[in-house]
Amino acid sequence: MKKISGIILAVMLVFGSVGMAGAVVVNFDDLVGQALVPNGYGGINWNDEWTYYGWTQDPYNPSSPPVRVYDFVKEGMFNFVTPDQTFNGAWFSGMDTTTVQFNLYNNGVLVASSAVLNTSATPTFLDSGYSGLVDVVGILSNAPDYFVMDDVTYNQVPEPATLLLFGVGLVGVGIAR
């Protein structure tokens, strides 16, 4: 009976852990100077579109000083190194005539768009408004060179192979008992 209850507990832990994800905040603050954000930084491929810098420049204020990023593309995009993540949002500031909005993609299909944010000198969080899995995030703007982004936040969903290995280990522990 103990063996069966151990196996049931292990299976419950495996399936319960599927929803568990580690929150990641990419704040760019360890980058120095001004350059393109390297692919893979923060678990994200920046695709040679995003530039970072860390000096004072009002109204382009970072949420967590000193460093933030910008691009010059109407819909600047980045994609996750490990696809199928849950994207939460990011902080934006900029000229008060500038708007930003997220377009969220999974497997090349637009799955959601966020609300539209009017930027200002005060950094403001734009929530993605979507809890499903995405692999590409687009930032659509009416004036792409008049805003900055900081503190990109997503939940790192464990890879299925990691969950399987974890589950096999738990089942093994349950059987051993």
Side-chain angles (χ1 to χ4, degrees), residues 105-110 135-136:
Y105 301 88
N106 198 8
N107 297 317
V109 175
L110 177 66
D135 50 23
V136 175

Side-chain angles (χ1 to χ4, degrees), residues 82-119:
T82 303
D84 296 332
Q85 302 298 323
T86 304
F87 178 69
N88 300 331
W91 291 81
F92 292 91
S93 66
M95 300 295 289
D96 60 7
T97 57
T98 303
T99 62
V100 292
Q101 176 183 30
F102 294 122
N103 282 333
L104 306 174
Y105 301 88
N106 198 8
N107 297 317
V109 175
L110 177 66
V111 292
S113 293
S114 72
V116 175
L117 173 71
N118 292 308
T119 63

